[in-house]
Amino acid sequence: MILELRNIDKSFGEKEVLKGVSFKAEGGKAFGLLGRNGAGKTTSIRILMNVFPANNGEVLIDGEPINYDKIGIGYLPEERGLYPKKIIIDQLTYFAELKGMKTKDAVKSIDYWLSRLGMTEYRNKRLDTLSKGNQQKIQLITALAHDPDIVILDEPFSGLDPVNAMLLKDVVKEQISKGKIVLFSSHQMSYIEEFCDSIAIINAGKVAISGDLHDIKRNYVRDKLVVSTTNPKAIKADLGDACIEREDQSLLIQLSDPGQKQAMMKHIVENYDIDEIKVFEPSLNDIFVEYAGEQI
């Protein structure tokens, strides 16, 4: 299954929010939708979910207009939307029924997820008696209980401690392994980099870059080396301004030409005590800063 947003335009009054946004997400893989606040991520997600229509463009599944009666969507919003004073099982059942589930099936699925997430003891409690992290897990159940084809997770790890974050990682991996489309929107680049095969970075309503994350990294000019050493001062003195020390105490060496890689590696290895030397590959955070750091 392939989800595609094609040439999406959206305006609110005179304000153009999306300007020809296009990207593809594939079943069985995770897709990262990135951008600074106000870039157009949430508007893109709402159009995908049919909350409101685009002015122009299409949302497609396998090349055909999406049929919302047949394609289920689960959504974990950044701003949580449950009722704090209501009993958890009651509101979870209500939300599952809104997605077309029969009450008996909804309760069975909810009880499975409460158990899966270690939340069974809270089944008949009010939401506001739970910690922020446990409320997040209850919100996650609303996105998964109806077994959707597309799972949209907006800042899913917010408020989770490391143990619960690991539990959520396992759940996400399960959804991906089932062939579902999993779409992440987050500012936590480490999670996006861990899960996502492909990304799109939106900047001021336009897609600044999109595609396979590995390919995007490989397409960067390979003109820098990263060196870990016990004697950084000597290398810095040797190379001068071409060498800077990074936060992790490794050295970043700028080459005047990518063709110098092998010669520079040979020079450093032969003359200094080196723990590791490799070609610099940008992190997703580096890519994000480059393409979303300034508004287009």
Side-chain angles (χ1 to χ4, degrees):
M1 184 168 62
I2 296 176
L3 166 70
E4 181 180 2
L5 269 66
R6 182 183 293 173
N7 299 323
I8 299 293
D9 296 328
K10 182 63 181 178
S11 298
F12 296 99
E14 296 184 356
K15 182 174 177 58
E16 256 189 307
V17 178
L18 299 180
K19 309 164 189 175
V21 166
S22 298
F23 59 80
K24 291 182 180 180
E26 186 176 343
K29 297 181 179 180
F31 181 89
L33 183 62
L34 310 175
R36 295 170 63 186
N37 293 331
K41 303 187 305 297
T42 300
T43 300
S44 298
I45 289 171
R46 288 175 177 171
I47 289 171
L48 161 59
M49 295 177 59
N50 202 31
V51 174
F52 46 65
N55 296 113
N56 296 293
E58 299 176 287
V59 180
L60 307 171
I61 292 289
D62 293 334
E64 299 292 332
I66 186 170
N67 184 336
Y68 290 100
D69 293 327
K70 294 183 178 179
I71 299 296
I73 299 177
Y75 178 45
L76 176 69
E78 179 179 7
E79 298 296 330
R80 311 313 175 204
L82 299 181
Y83 301 104
K85 305 297 183 182
K86 298 294 183 181
I87 300 299
I88 286 169
I89 184 62
D90 293 341
Q91 59 178 313
L92 287 177
T93 303
Y94 169 71
F95 283 113
E97 289 173 339
L98 287 179
K99 295 297 180 67
M101 296 189 79
K102 295 180 180 179
T103 302
K104 181 179 179 181
D105 295 333
V107 172
K108 182 179 179 180
S109 177
I110 290 163
D111 281 337
Y112 164 79
W113 280 110
L114 287 170
S115 176
R116 177 74 177 81
L117 298 175
M119 299 295 291
T120 300
E121 65 181 290
Y122 304 109
R123 185 181 191 273
N124 296 304
K125 295 185 180 294
R126 291 189 343 188
L127 186 73
D128 60 3
T129 65
L130 274 61
S131 67
K132 182 179 178 181
N134 282 338
Q135 289 186 32
Q136 171 80 331
K137 290 196 284 185
I138 295 299
Q139 182 85 59
L140 178 64
I141 294 174
T142 68
L144 300 177
H146 60 292
D147 194 25
D149 305 290
I150 301 169
V151 180
I152 302 171
L153 304 172
D154 195 350
E155 297 294 353
F157 294 95
S158 175
L160 296 183
D161 60 43
V163 173
N164 282 321
M166 185 64 68
L167 179 59
L168 177 56
K169 286 182 183 182
D170 291 340
V171 169
V172 171
K173 289 174 183 176
E174 288 174 4
Q175 298 299 302
I176 294 170
S177 70
K178 290 179 179 179
K180 298 184 179 185
I181 293 171
V182 178
L183 192 153
F184 277 93
S185 179
S186 179
H187 292 109
Q188 294 175 285
M189 297 298 152
S190 60
Y191 289 123
I192 297 292
E193 197 154 14
E194 179 177 352
F195 283 108
C196 294
D197 300 280
S198 300
I199 63 165
I201 297 177
I202 298 180
N203 189 339
K206 299 178 181 179
V207 174
I209 189 170
S210 66
D212 181 274
L213 181 54
H214 178 73
D215 290 342
I216 290 172
K217 289 183 176 184
R218 291 289 300 179
N219 285 334
Y220 270 70
V221 177
R222 301 173 70 78
D223 62 350
K224 298 181 182 70
L225 300 178
V226 178
V227 177
S228 297
T229 176
T230 57
N231 192 7
K233 290 183 179 179
I235 299 177
K236 289 171 68 177
D238 179 7
L239 300 180
D241 292 341
C243 181
I244 61 172
E245 190 165 355
R246 305 202 301 172
E247 290 183 2
D248 62 0
Q249 280 74 58
S250 66
L251 300 176
L252 183 66
I253 299 171
Q254 175 69 59
L255 305 174
S256 59
D257 185 275
Q260 291 184 335
K261 287 196 298 287
Q262 299 302 324
M264 180 61 76
M265 285 181 172
K266 185 173 184 293
H267 169 75
I268 291 173
V269 169
E270 289 179 348
N271 289 278
Y272 303 100
D273 180 19
I274 300 301
D275 295 324
E276 182 182 27
I277 185 167
K278 61 183 179 180
V279 177
F280 170 77
E281 185 175 83
S283 67
L284 180 55
N285 190 71
D286 296 324
I287 296 168
F288 181 84
V289 169
E290 177 177 346
Y291 284 94
E294 296 182 3
Q295 296 292 316
I296 295 173

